[in-house]
Amino acid sequence: MEGGRNLHASREQRVAYLSAAARLGAAYVDIELSTLEENRLLRNPLFAARGEKPAPAFVFSYHDFGGMPSLAFLREIRGRCERMGADVVKIAATPPTLGESLPMAQIMSERDGWTRPFLGIAMGEAGLWTRVLGPAFPHAAPFTFARGEGAPGTAPGQLTWRELDARYRYREIKPETPVFGVIGNPIGHSLSPRMHNAALKAAGREGVYLPFKVEGDPAAFVRDLAPLLGIRGLSVTIPHKETIIPACAEVDPLARQIGAVNTLVRRDTPTGPTWYATNTDARASASSLEAALGGPGALQGKKILIFGAGGAARAVAFGVKALGAMVLFHNRTVERAQKLAHEVGGQCVSKEELTGTGFEVTAVVNTTPLGMHPDVDRSPLEKNELPGGSLVFDTVYNPQRTKLLRLAEERGLRTLEGLAMFVGQGAAQFELFTNTPAPREVMEREVREALTQRAAK
Ligand code: NAP
């Protein structure tokens, strides 16, 4: 009646089916509050099954497939369900954005004044957290909804039972479970949830890591929703790496120089939670490069040529500079490269210079999206343009072997995949989040597997 898709039957027929289900031993019988409120006598045949052994639990539910009610309205519905005799109260609504799911987080967080188990579901991508974190809230209902593998599900945003069970370890979630996640927009493609959940599991750590599609100002998310969800650490991706900075009480000096952060760690203070922000992209890219070039000290005094002048270029540039390298830039928009070169203390080079004879660098780093899926046939340099003797590092990691890396290999040059940086930045985040050494091999294997599965689709 409220938008569910499966049963086209009159109110009386529905109650008859549900009463039969209750008598036949269904553990839970879910009926819309509105059905009961319009004809209270319908409760009698239903509740007759309460005498059965085992007695069914009656879920009184409210659905809004078109939007997200206010907190006051949610309280009103929850109260009416409790007063009507529900064993479990379920409210499902559809916040258009993650920010608009706040009333659901607020009502799920309430302990006082309620007596019955409560299942709050925010449908769609914005409500993924409700599907995973239910057991972390007071009065948590003893069940949730999931769909079978390959099945369409009964409501938007439903996860498969395997995702809930294997990836998010739903059965282990409880009020103290540390929650982590990644904020970005879009976020559906992010490999971080797979990588971090696999790492938490492999390291034997309690915790769950979720994707959060944050639209608009990310400060509102960390101020309002994150504390209610018990979030202790966040990865930050495009487009929030710069805009989140003002919401952070403390910013690591290198991240401040870069002007972008990719990691937030919650710090609990006497006046409430605050956020410490850092940038693990910079250290991960620099240490991957340093390791590939021979280990500690290998970047000292070495020339590194960076293609691009965007966020990744900034992280790589400040990262390698901190390890003693000299940086050169080449970018499509020359002024942007000039500005970055000025900030980091580097130089710009033209295409003619870098492809001319006698041009030598220790490593070439691509930080442009050229070669990234789906434009896999593009490369910032052709084979004969690559500086001889250099190591070629492509920060693009989807695909794992980009055209640039294949060309470098054909030239007999050493290569470094962007995956090293991606896993490195994630491993550093994991260590900040958990104070536990990161299981890097597991993280790398998980990301490779995810990329291989995507490539096969
Ligand atoms: P960004 O801030 O948008 O910067 C993109 C840069 O690439 C800019 O310098 C831009 O030049 C240049 N560019 C874009 N399209 C181009 C084209 N068609 N031809 C030539 N240059 C082009 O993006 P970002 O955050 O730096 O990310 C860039 C890439 O880095 C991503 O695609 C991703 O694959 C990679 N990345 C990897 C990791 C990792 O962990 N491995 C982490 C972060 C990023 P203009 O200045 O002229 O616009």
Side-chain angles (χ1 to χ4, degrees):
M1 294 288 170
E2 291 172 351
R5 273 180 274 138
N6 290 335
L7 193 58
H8 300 286
S10 71
R11 200 158 261 132
E12 286 69 21
Q13 280 171 320
R14 283 165 170 247
V15 173
Y17 293 147
L18 294 172
S19 304
R23 282 195 310 277
L24 291 171
Y28 294 97
V29 174
D30 181 339
I31 184 158
E32 289 160 354
L33 174 69
S34 57
T35 301
L36 294 176
E37 285 188 332
E38 281 182 26
N39 184 352
R40 286 175 179 248
L41 294 178
L42 291 176
R43 273 193 308 179
N44 298 341
L46 268 185
F47 282 1
R50 278 201 158 135
E52 305 285 335
K53 293 250 177 323
F58 289 102
V59 182
F60 291 174
S61 57
Y62 176 86
H63 306 84
D64 185 340
F65 282 84
M68 184 72 221
S70 67
L71 176 61
F73 188 82
L74 294 177
R75 284 186 179 139
E76 159 74 20
I77 294 290
R78 190 172 176 180
R80 273 163 41 195
C81 289
E82 288 206 351
R83 288 193 292 279
M84 189 65 92
D87 296 310
V88 179
V89 177
K90 180 187 112 191
I91 301 181
T94 315
T97 63
L98 178 66
E100 287 163 276
S101 71
L102 182 64
M104 191 59 91
Q106 290 168 321
I107 189 126
M108 287 169 79
S109 303
E110 290 183 347
R111 180 184 302 279
D112 297 343
W114 303 113
T115 58
R116 307 296 164 86
F118 180 71
L119 182 68
I121 299 276
M123 293 182 277
E125 190 180 12
L128 183 135
W129 64 265
T130 60
R131 299 191 177 277
V132 178
L133 299 182
F137 290 92
H139 304 290
F143 65 89
T144 189
F145 289 81
R147 63 189 170 91
E149 295 300 316
T154 54
Q158 239 171 39
L159 295 164
T160 67
W161 68 266
R162 200 186 291 278
E163 284 171 319
L164 265 186
D165 194 39
R167 180 174 311 164
Y168 296 117
R169 294 189 290 166
Y170 178 81
R171 289 176 222 239
E172 293 170 37
I173 290 174
K174 45 185 183 291
E176 318 76 75
T177 302
V179 180
F180 308 101
V182 54
I183 59 170
N185 182 20
I187 203 63
H189 68 290
S190 172
L191 297 171
S192 294
R194 272 190 72 162
M195 178 170 73
H196 279 276
N197 282 314
L200 287 164
K201 197 172 174 177
R205 298 289 307 201
E206 231 190 291
V208 62
Y209 184 106
L210 295 170
F212 294 105
K213 182 178 170 187
V214 173
E215 295 170 63
D217 181 9
F221 175 82
V222 296
R223 184 190 60 229
D224 302 332
L225 207 47
L228 291 174
L229 306 192
I231 292 177
R232 303 209 192 161
L234 285 169
S235 311
V236 183
T237 188
I238 292 168
H240 302 312
K241 288 185 174 190
E242 294 94 26
T243 49
I244 194 68
I245 292 178
C248 302
E250 195 188 337
V251 180
D252 161 81
L254 183 62
R256 185 75 74 192
Q257 274 188 311
I258 296 167
V261 301
N262 76 332
T263 311
L264 262 55
V265 182
R266 192 180 84 187
R267 296 232 166 117
D268 293 317
T269 72
T271 51
T274 62
W275 296 95
Y276 162 77
T278 185
N279 188 318
T280 65
D281 281 337
R283 291 186 183 89
S285 56
S287 55
S288 305
L289 198 51
E290 191 182 52
L293 288 169
L299 280 168
Q300 200 64 45
K302 299 290 178 354
K303 276 190 195 164
I304 308 297
L305 170 64
I306 298 175
F307 271 80
R314 295 185 70 85
V316 174
F318 281 98
V320 297
K321 176 86 182 179
L323 295 184
M326 295 187 281
V327 263
L328 305 175
F329 297 94
H330 178 80
N331 189 45
R332 180 176 62 181
T333 308
V334 176
E335 300 73 42
R336 214 173 164 198
Q338 284 169 337
K339 184 171 173 291
L340 179 52
H342 179 71
E343 281 179 57
V344 77
Q347 285 172 15
C348 292
V349 286
S350 66
K351 188 81 177 264
E352 292 69 39
E353 284 174 275
L354 70 93
T355 53
T357 47
F359 183 80
E360 280 182 15
V361 287
T362 301
V364 174
V365 186
N366 174 42
T367 71
T368 76
L370 291 172
M372 186 168 78
H373 181 81
D375 290 324
V376 294
D377 286 327
R378 302 187 72 186
S379 167
L381 285 173
E382 291 310 316
K383 188 161 50 171
N384 59 0
E385 294 174 332
L386 284 161
S390 57
L391 179 141
V392 178
F393 172 24
D394 199 340
T395 67
V396 171
Y397 57 88
N398 183 15
Q400 295 165 61
R401 297 302 287 171
T402 58
K403 182 170 180 194
L404 173 66
L405 294 184
R406 283 186 277 116
L407 294 175
E409 228 166 33
E410 287 170 22
R411 267 286 296 276
L413 303 178
R414 286 169 301 153
T415 60
L416 177 61
E417 290 180 354
L419 203 86
M421 174 177 168
F422 182 70
V423 172
Q425 61 82 33
Q429 291 180 332
F430 183 90
E431 290 171 4
L432 286 163
F433 293 161
T434 64
N435 289 317
T436 310
R440 279 177 184 252
E441 304 73 37
V442 172
M443 296 170 88
E444 183 174 334
R445 199 182 324 127
E446 188 71 20
V447 176
R448 281 197 195 281
E449 195 180 297
L451 288 170
T452 307
Q453 284 166 355
R454 274 187 200 177
K457 274 189 184 164

